[in-house]
């Protein structure tokens, strides 16, 4: 077996040194009743690379890759072009095969990129500080609400009707099982909900997504003021982080915590994971943050270096008093994010964001001309909502048979609301060509 | 001894008695030291206007950004591709990694990460598919998830599995919510969760977040759960026990079947932390031990790379009784192919995470399982245990094993052998860095004084273990010989020497700021 270096000879010699006759003897503490009576049922013996590769490729071949067809699917995960340098660098064994930087003297590479990552996230979101990543945007959202509960010592969170339904479900699940209240606003299809009226003296936070899941872009400054007037925090969720290349950041609107899905920068679609949760806040709440933090310091010779810091918030030190139970996070996805953003730089990000927006505007204008389609949004970044003359789920299936991945039916995200059945979320990015747009438009004209 | 013949004996610094002259007297103009290059932050290198990505001119459109102000200065640096590649290449060279050396970090399972797994995860059929594209276009992905789920269930003997948790701690939360849901469904409001003192910090943190009172159970002198103490703590208000098995001392809980019986008799449930499942894969089915829920760290047992801290995946296997409470999303095999249940239905407790799980980890773990096969999986766990016992047996007379008898996949020592030497566990670990080793896990588990937890994994050849054993024996002898300065001043040969963690926490600097801003703040 190619991954196992011990030879029969090695094993015999080692058993002799240990002083037992067989490996089985080392398992003497296992109750006899629990010994597996037969080998692993149905699993063949070890297999060579070529054989395994054939089997995995056969599975992969049953999927329709986004890059092979006109593709308009978004709703929290976006297909962007990732420069070749990113994957090359993150596959360097020194990054790929190291652990959490517990021994900083031999982990300065990881620590320095985490420091760069934290800085980039703070700059992008317009916040003071950011952590070293969460599992993804949705879990970061749940953690943000729990942090707001700690900061305000209140336990009522208001969830916007423009929040991604999976994020809302994750947060509601947290609420139900960690004992706080999550108040849901109804689906904000038109992007004009008014949450200020729901805020009361018990409210710990308002969670609002920008652009919303329906694509609407809003200035949240007055909502921030309304929150602060009642002693609540404003949590802004961003599921398309690329939008911050073009939009004024949540920090400038008065957000207290910003959580985001960072997948769009540096990371592939991967059928939903692994992704990278971004988490940023104001300096004054720094010690209430979940997750790892990397900080600057000096070594014994006075040279600048980095360490994990403020770990008295974390589970390995605080145990049942920790701010969160998170341990493993999304380190390598954070590295991909950091490298891609370094490649883009200020000028590249601004142009890329503009390209996304312009492509989406072109798409929206084209679709708006088709009978049976109404574009709902006045404002959007690279994704918007259309109302079709027929059920969106069926239309998307029909498009798929024509090898077009046409968007996300709202009914897939929000079940049991027939009024939403005709709504479709449509996204465009820099990877969308005029040819793709023409193909989608032609198919819609044919089907609707 | 062997060390000189392999040339490694000469890596010792000449100035071992002068802790403050770190790397000899040689100073360079650049502060670089040969291949070790001092590397500024990316923010200190860029210039406005530069970019490493060529993009077309966006078409002219009328902007639709509503009332939101356009973005002003972000403050990101601009660099070309060669600069970015060099920067991150240099950073990588400051890291220790399994690829480069022995990394016996106990509890973390730093085994080899096969590159085939990386290649398979990157097939466009897996990497370039969207979690919300039509189910008919992702049948292969769902089949891959179902297939991995099948093997995990076969290996554990459990009834059901929740695939979506993002890592071990997230899996703990998933399993413990399922337990709470099951208890509440039978109208049982229990408030206490029993957690052995030796548990990983995530266990008490998880239980506490769910509103449980954490009640810790002491260990016996032989490193296992104290059965009498457990019995004394059991009562009608106990919801569950969270027990790691093999435990964090690297020992099999030999009374585990009895523990499960007692727990169930008291009406409570058994959460098993499966971080150490790698010791028993193919040999013991956790279901046969009487557990109700267990997470599996795919990034440990099934070798998805740790990536400097993540990502991972923490699927949770569940007993029949807990199965109905599993969260969305779930893959279901039907007559017309696979479907995805995306909304929490019936008794499902909700959702842990957006979408259907860590697909990129699933493809790697599945590749690992297919590569190893039934014989390879069993051989891997056997070799992991053999390697650990070999280290334990070889060092038992020069270091101090925490407990008698054989261990599982990791060997635990305490700091007794350093008594009166002036050398602490931390110092000992730092001296290992100079020898070219990543230290073992130190100061965990908490039940052992100055703990050193060595997990060699099955990936390590005997030759490598022999050199490691000789090195540790040499260091132990050196500590005992009175050469404390060698340890307290270590490391001296690493990219950085000991870092000031106290000041880092006292005055946290968590991000770079432009010097103008810092100057203004100082005024
Ligand atoms: C015993 C034990 N339990 C739980 C965990 C948490 O797992 P993760 O880091 O995947 O969240 C770890 C990992 O360090 C562990 O060693």
């Amino acid at each position: 077996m190619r991954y196992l270096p011990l030879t029969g000879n090695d094993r015999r010699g080692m058993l002799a040194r240990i002083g037992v006759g067989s490996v089985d003897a080392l398992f003497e503490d296992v109750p006899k009743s629990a010994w597996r009576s037969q080998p692993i049922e149905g699993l063949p013996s070890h297999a060579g690379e070529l054989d395994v590769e054939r089997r995995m490729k056969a599975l992969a071949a049953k999927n329709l890759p986004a890059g092979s067809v006109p593709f308009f699917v978004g709703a929290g995960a976006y297909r962007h072009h990732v420069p070749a340098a990113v994957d090359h660098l993150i596959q360097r064994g020194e990054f790929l095969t190291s652990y959490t930087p517990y021994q900083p003297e031999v982990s300065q590479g990881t620590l320095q990129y985490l420091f760069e990552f934290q800085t980039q996230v703070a700059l992008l979101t317009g916040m003071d500080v950011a952590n070293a990543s969460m599992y993804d945007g949705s879990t970061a959202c749940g953690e943000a609400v729990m942090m707001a509960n700690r900061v305000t010592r209140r336990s009522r969170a208001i969830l916007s009707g423009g929040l991604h339904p999976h994020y809302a479900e994750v947060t509601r699940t947290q609420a139900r099982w960690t004992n706080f209240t999550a108040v849901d606003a109804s689906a904000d299809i038109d992007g004009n909900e008014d949450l200020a009226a729901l805020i009361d003296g018990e409210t710990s936070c308002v969670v609002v997504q920008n652009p919303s899941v329906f694509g609407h872009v809003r200035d949240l400054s007055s909502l921030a003021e309304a929150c602060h007037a009642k002693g609540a925090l404003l949590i802004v969720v961003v599921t398309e982080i690329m939008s911050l290349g073009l939009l004024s950041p949540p920090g400038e609107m008065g957000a207290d915590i910003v959580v985001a899905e960072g997948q769009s920068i540096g990371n592939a679609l991967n059928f939903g994971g692994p992704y990278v949760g971004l988490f940023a806040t104001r300096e004054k709440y720094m010690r209430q943050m979940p997750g790892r933090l990397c900080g600057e310091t000096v070594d014994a010779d006075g040279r600048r270096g980095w360490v994990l810091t403020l770990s008295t918030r974390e589970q390995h030190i605080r145990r049942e008093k920790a701010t969160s139970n998170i341990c493993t996070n999304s380190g390598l996805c954070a590295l991909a994010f950091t490298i891609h953003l370094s490649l883009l730089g200020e000028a590249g990000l601004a142009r890329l964001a503009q390209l996304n927006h312009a492509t989406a505007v072109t798409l929206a204008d084209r679709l708006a001309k088709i009978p049976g389609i109404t574009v709902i949004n006045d404002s959007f970044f690279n994704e918007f909502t259309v109302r079709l003359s027929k059920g969106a789920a069926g239309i998307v299936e029909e498009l798929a048979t024509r090898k077009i991945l046409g968007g996300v039916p709202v009914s897939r995200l929000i079940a049991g609301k027939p009024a939403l059945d005709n709504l479709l979320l449509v996204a465009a990015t820099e990877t969308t060509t005029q040819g793709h747009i023409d193909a989608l438009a032609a198919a819609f004209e044919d089907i609707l | 001894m062997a060390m000189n013949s392999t040339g490694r004996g000469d890596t010792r610094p000449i100035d071992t008695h002068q802790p403050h002259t770190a790397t000899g007297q040689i100073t360079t103009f650049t502060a670089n030291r040969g291949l070790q290059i001092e590397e500024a932050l990316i923010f200190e290198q860029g210039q406005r206007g530069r970019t490493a990505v060529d993009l077309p001119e966006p078409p002219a459109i009328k902007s639709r950004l509503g009332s939101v102000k356009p973005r002003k200065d972000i403050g990101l640096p601009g660099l070309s591709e060669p600069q970015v590649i060099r920067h991150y290449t240099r950073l990588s060279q400051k890291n220790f990694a399994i690829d480069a050396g022995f990394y016996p970090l106990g509890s973390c399972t730093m085994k080899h990460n096969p590159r085939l797994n990386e290649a398979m995860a990157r097939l466009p059929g897996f990497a370039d598919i969207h979690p919300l594209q039509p189910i008919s276009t992702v049948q292969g992905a769902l089949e891959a998830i179902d297939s991995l789920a099948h093997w995990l269930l076969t290996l554990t003997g459990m009834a059901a599995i929740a695939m979506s948790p993002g890592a071990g701690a997230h899996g703990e939360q998933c399993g413990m919510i399922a337990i709470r849901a099951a208890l509440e469904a039978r109208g049982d409001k229990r408030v206490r969760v029993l957690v052995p003192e030796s548990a990983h910090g995530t266990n008490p943190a998880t239980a506490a977040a769910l509103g449980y009172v954490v009640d810790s159970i002491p260990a016996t002198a032989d490193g296992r759960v104290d059965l009498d103490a457990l019995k004394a703590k059991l009562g009608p208000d106990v919801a569950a026990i969270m027990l790691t098995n093999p435990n964090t001392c690297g020992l099999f809980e030999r009374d585990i079947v009895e523990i499960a019986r007692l727990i169930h008799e008291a009406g409570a449930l058994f959460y098993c932390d499966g971080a150490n499942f790698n010791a028993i894969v193919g040999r013991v089915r956790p279901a046969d031990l009487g557990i109700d829920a267990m997470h599996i760290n795919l990034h440990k047992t099934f070798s998805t790379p740790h990536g400097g801290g993540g990502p991972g995946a923490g699927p949770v296997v569940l007993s029949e009784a807990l199965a109905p409470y599993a969260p969305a999303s779930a893959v279901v095999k039907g007559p017309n192919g696979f479907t995805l249940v995306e909304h929490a239905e019936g008794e499902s407790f909700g959702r842990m995470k957006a979408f259907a799980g860590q697909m990129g980890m699933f493809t790697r773990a599945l590749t690992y399982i297919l590569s190893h096969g039934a014989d390879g999986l069993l051989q891997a766990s056997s070799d992991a245990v053999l390697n650990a016992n070999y280290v334990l047996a070889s060092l038992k007379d020069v270091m101090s094993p925490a407990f008698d008898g054989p261990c599982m996949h990791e060997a635990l020592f305490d700091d007794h052998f350093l008594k009166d030497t002036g050398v602490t566990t931390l110092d000992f670990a730092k001296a290992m860095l100079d020898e070219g080793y990543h230290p073992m896990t130190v100061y965990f588990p908490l039940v052992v004084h100055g703990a050193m937890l060595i997990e060699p994994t099955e990936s390590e050849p005997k030759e490598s273990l022999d050199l490691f054993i000789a090195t540790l024996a040499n260091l132990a002898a050196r500590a005992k010989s009175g050469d404390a300065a060698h340890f307290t001043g270590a490391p001296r040969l690493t990219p950085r020497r000991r870092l000031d963690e106290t000041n880092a926490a006292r005055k946290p600097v968590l991000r770079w700021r432009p010097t103008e801003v810092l100057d203004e703040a100082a005024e």
Side-chain angles (χ1 to χ4, degrees), chain A residues 4-313:
Chain A
L4 301 176
L6 297 187
T7 63
N9 207 24
D10 289 337
R11 294 187 185 106
R12 277 187 295 279
M14 293 164 77
L15 287 168
R17 163 127 13 130
I18 298 164
V20 294
S22 70
V23 169
D24 285 359
L26 300 172
F27 287 87
E28 63 181 18
D29 288 331
V30 178
K32 281 286 164 285
S33 64
W35 281 70
R36 205 178 231 292
S37 50
Q38 53 180 46
I40 302 160
E41 304 83 356
L43 184 62
S45 292
H46 67 275
E49 277 209 4
L50 189 58
D51 185 12
V52 176
E53 194 175 304
R54 279 197 193 109
R55 286 194 263 168
M56 293 303 289
K57 281 187 170 162
L59 286 175
K62 294 183 192 174
N63 302 318
L64 183 63
S68 64
V69 294
F71 179 82
F72 302 90
V73 189
Y78 299 88
R79 182 167 195 274
H80 292 287
H81 175 76
V82 179
V86 174
D87 199 40
H88 168 79
L89 287 168
I90 70 166
Q91 286 206 66
R92 286 189 65 96
E94 300 91 329
F95 288 135
L96 185 75
T97 74
S98 56
Y99 199 72
T100 303
Y102 288 144
Q103 296 288 341
E105 299 88 344
V106 291
S107 311
Q108 286 297 304
T110 298
L111 287 160
Q112 186 169 334
Y113 83 64
L114 289 176
F115 191 78
E116 294 179 352
F117 171 79
Q118 290 174 183
T119 305
Q120 287 172 332
V121 173
L123 288 170
L124 263 186
T125 54
M127 303 299 282
D128 297 329
V129 289
N131 77 5
S133 81
M134 308 297 287
Y135 305 129
D136 75 341
S138 68
T139 54
C141 179
E143 290 270 11
V145 173
M146 293 195 286
M147 172 171 149
N149 294 343
R150 286 194 296 277
V151 167
T152 59
R153 295 169 192 270
R154 298 176 182 178
S155 58
R156 181 174 178 270
I158 296 169
L159 310 185
S160 155
L163 179 62
H164 192 294
H166 284 194
Y167 287 48
E169 274 177 62
V170 169
T171 309
R172 273 196 301 269
T173 302
Q174 289 289 347
R176 180 164 172 207
W177 302 106
T178 70
N179 311 324
F180 65 90
T181 308
V183 181
D184 282 301
S186 54
D188 182 32
I189 299 157
D190 298 316
N192 52 16
E193 72 182 354
D194 180 12
L195 297 173
L198 299 176
I199 308 170
D200 62 17
E202 297 300 304
T203 304
S204 63
C205 59
V206 173
V207 185
V208 56
Q209 179 174 323
N210 204 35
S212 77
V213 71
F214 299 103
H216 307 286
V217 177
R218 299 213 305 178
D219 185 344
L220 302 169
S221 309
S222 56
L223 183 60
E225 280 164 28
C227 286
H228 298 153
K230 295 256 168 67
L233 305 192
L234 178 66
I235 298 174
V236 177
V237 175
V238 183
T239 61
E240 173 48 302
I241 192 68
M242 197 134 327
S243 66
L244 294 183
L246 212 49
L247 301 175
S248 169
E252 278 178 22
M253 299 178 183
D256 299 287
I257 304 174
V258 181
V259 288
E261 176 50 69
Q263 172 269 330
S264 274
I265 298 183
N267 289 277
L269 287 170
N270 282 326
F271 195 59
Y275 289 172
V276 48
L278 315 183
F279 197 112
T281 189
R282 305 251 168 240
E283 184 123 23
K284 61 180 168 188
Y285 302 134
M286 177 171 75
R287 286 169 202 273
Q288 290 296 335
M289 287 175 98
R292 297 197 185 106
L293 293 167
C294 169
E296 186 180 313
T297 189
V298 292
D299 79 349
D301 292 335
R303 294 174 298 177
R304 180 171 71 171
W306 286 274
V307 290
L308 293 179
T309 193
L310 298 183
S311 45
T312 49
R313 301 163 299 113

Side-chain angles (χ1 to χ4, degrees), chain B residues 360-487:
Chain B
M361 305 292 111
F362 299 160
T363 43
R364 288 172 175 89
L366 182 58
T367 306
Y368 176 97
I369 289 174
L370 296 178
S371 292
H372 279 76
D375 56 336
L377 289 179
L378 180 61
Q379 191 67 59
S381 56
S382 303
D383 284 357
V385 171
L386 180 61
N387 276 354
N389 278 284
Y390 183 65
V391 170
L392 180 62
S394 304
L395 289 172
K396 70 174 187 311
D397 296 330
V398 286
M399 290 169 60
S400 37
F403 303 104
D404 292 337
C407 61
M408 291 279 101
H409 61 298
E410 50 198 355
L412 179 61
F413 296 87
D414 61 25
D415 61 2
H416 191 76
F417 74 102
L418 294 174
K419 195 165 183 290
D420 301 329
T421 61
V423 177
T424 63
T425 290
L426 186 70
D427 300 330
F428 195 80
K430 297 301 182 193
M432 287 171 69
L433 291 171
D434 279 338
E435 300 286 352
Y437 288 107
H438 195 285
M440 60 298 252
T441 290
V442 290
Y443 300 107
F444 175 81
L446 307 179
V447 289
V448 161
H449 200 267
M452 305 182 199
L453 187 62
I454 302 177
E455 180 176 12
T457 84
E458 67 276 15
S459 314
E460 217 52 34
K462 178 171 177 293
E463 298 86 329
S464 163
L465 296 180
D466 284 334
L467 184 59
F468 176 75
I469 289 162
T471 307
L472 260 55
N474 178 281
L475 285 176
R478 194 166 185 168
K480 289 172 197 169
S481 77
D483 191 1
H486 175 70
F487 297 85

Side-chain angles (χ1 to χ4, degrees), chain B residues 12-361:
Chain B
R12 262 171 283 142
I14 313 134
D15 57 315
T16 50
H17 295 280
Q18 295 163 312
H20 288 290
T21 51
T23 52
Q25 303 304 329
I26 300 166
T27 57
T28 57
F29 173 69
T30 52
N32 296 336
R33 285 174 297 145
L35 289 179
Q36 272 302 324
I37 311 266
E38 290 298 304
E39 184 62 8
L41 288 164
I42 199 101
F43 305 96
E44 295 160 342
Q45 305 192 17
Q47 278 184 41
R48 283 306 168 93
R50 238 192 227 138
T51 177
V53 179
D54 292 320
L55 293 163
E57 183 74 40
I61 46 114
K62 208 168 141 294
S63 185
R64 302 271 282 273
L65 298 171
S67 59
V68 174
K69 291 193 212 96
R71 183 88 213 215
K72 293 197 297 283
D73 245 13
I74 300 172
L76 297 171
L79 297 100
S80 61
E81 178 171 306
Q83 291 174 292
V84 174
I85 299 246
R86 185 169 291 167
H87 176 69
Y88 290 102
T89 301
R90 286 177 171 184
L91 291 195
S92 75
Q93 290 168 336
K94 298 173 195 292
N95 266 5
F96 198 97
I98 320 167
D99 278 3
F102 187 30
Y103 210 133
L105 198 62
S107 208
C108 302
T109 315
M110 301 302 283
K111 60 168 79 177
H112 172 65
N113 300 135
R115 289 315 190 274
L116 177 66
N117 306 1
E118 295 304 302
M120 295 302 94
R122 285 169 171 80
L123 292 171
F126 293 129
D128 194 24
I129 53 173
H130 191 287
L132 295 173
Q133 69 185 59
I135 298 298
S136 59
T137 67
V138 292
Q139 286 294 304
L142 300 184
E143 188 177 337
I145 297 176
D146 185 68
S147 173
L148 176 62
H150 169 80
W151 295 125
L152 296 178
L153 289 174
T154 305
L155 290 170
T156 56
M158 300 292 282
I161 188 163
M163 293 295 283
S164 61
H170 208 216
E172 290 173 30
Q173 200 180 350
C174 175
M176 287 301 291
I177 295 177
I179 285 175
R180 195 178 138 188
L183 290 172
E184 287 186 6
R186 67 179 200 216
D188 209 346
K189 281 230 183 281
R190 292 169 175 247
V191 294
R192 251 182 333 131
V193 169
L194 306 181
V195 181
E197 279 172 347
S198 59
H200 193 257
T202 49
N203 294 183
T206 300
L210 297 180
Y212 287 115
V213 175
V214 176
D215 197 350
S216 74
I217 338 175
T220 54
D222 70 351
R224 274 99 173 167
V225 167
D226 185 330
L227 262 192
D228 290 331
L230 172 70
K231 280 183 201 154
K233 297 233 180 222
L234 278 173
D237 62 335
V238 172
I241 187 171
M242 293 184 84
L243 178 63
T244 310
N245 187 56
N247 70 21
T248 59
C249 300
L251 302 171
F252 198 92
E253 289 285 351
R254 61 169 85 90
D255 294 324
I256 190 163
V257 173
E258 175 65 0
I259 292 172
R261 197 187 62 75
L262 290 169
I263 290 288
H264 291 141
E265 199 176 75
L269 291 158
F270 187 162
Y271 185 87
C272 181
D273 179 331
N276 295 336
F277 184 45
N278 57 310
I280 56 172
V281 168
R283 191 177 285 272
V284 178
R285 300 189 321 162
D288 298 331
L289 303 170
I291 68 161
D292 295 294
M294 179 181 93
H295 73 261
I296 300 168
N297 308 62
L298 296 187
H299 44 300
K300 296 181 180 180
T301 303
F302 297 100
S303 189
T304 73
H306 283 93
V316 179
V317 288
L318 300 167
S319 63
E320 198 96 51
L322 294 182
Y325 306 100
S329 300
V331 176
V332 177
K333 194 174 183 171
N336 304 314
F338 294 91
T339 53
L340 196 56
V341 179
E342 290 177 291
H343 300 283
E345 289 165 1
E347 290 166 299
S348 165
F349 73 66
R351 172 179 280 283
M352 293 298 297
K353 190 167 167 294
F355 312 126
Q358 304 281 69
M359 186 69 196
M361 305 292 111

Side-chain angles (χ1 to χ4, degrees), chain A residues 71-78 162-165 188-189 209 212-216 239 363 367 374 376-377 382-388 392-393 396 399 405-414 420-428 440 444, chain B residues 130 132:
Chain A
F71 179 82
F72 302 90
V73 189
Y78 299 88
L163 179 62
H164 192 294
D188 182 32
I189 299 157
Q209 179 174 323
S212 77
V213 71
F214 299 103
H216 307 286
T239 61
L363 173 66
L367 295 185
T374 315
I376 288 184
N377 302 56
N382 68 355
E383 183 169 30
F384 52 87
T385 308
V386 294
R387 189 184 297 281
L388 306 177
V396 162
L399 289 170
L405 296 173
V408 180
V410 170
S411 61
R412 178 143 179 204
L413 297 171
I414 305 174
L420 307 178
D421 278 355
N422 290 10
L423 299 180
L424 180 69
L425 307 180
V426 190
L440 180 67
F444 270 136
Chain B
H130 191 287
L132 295 173

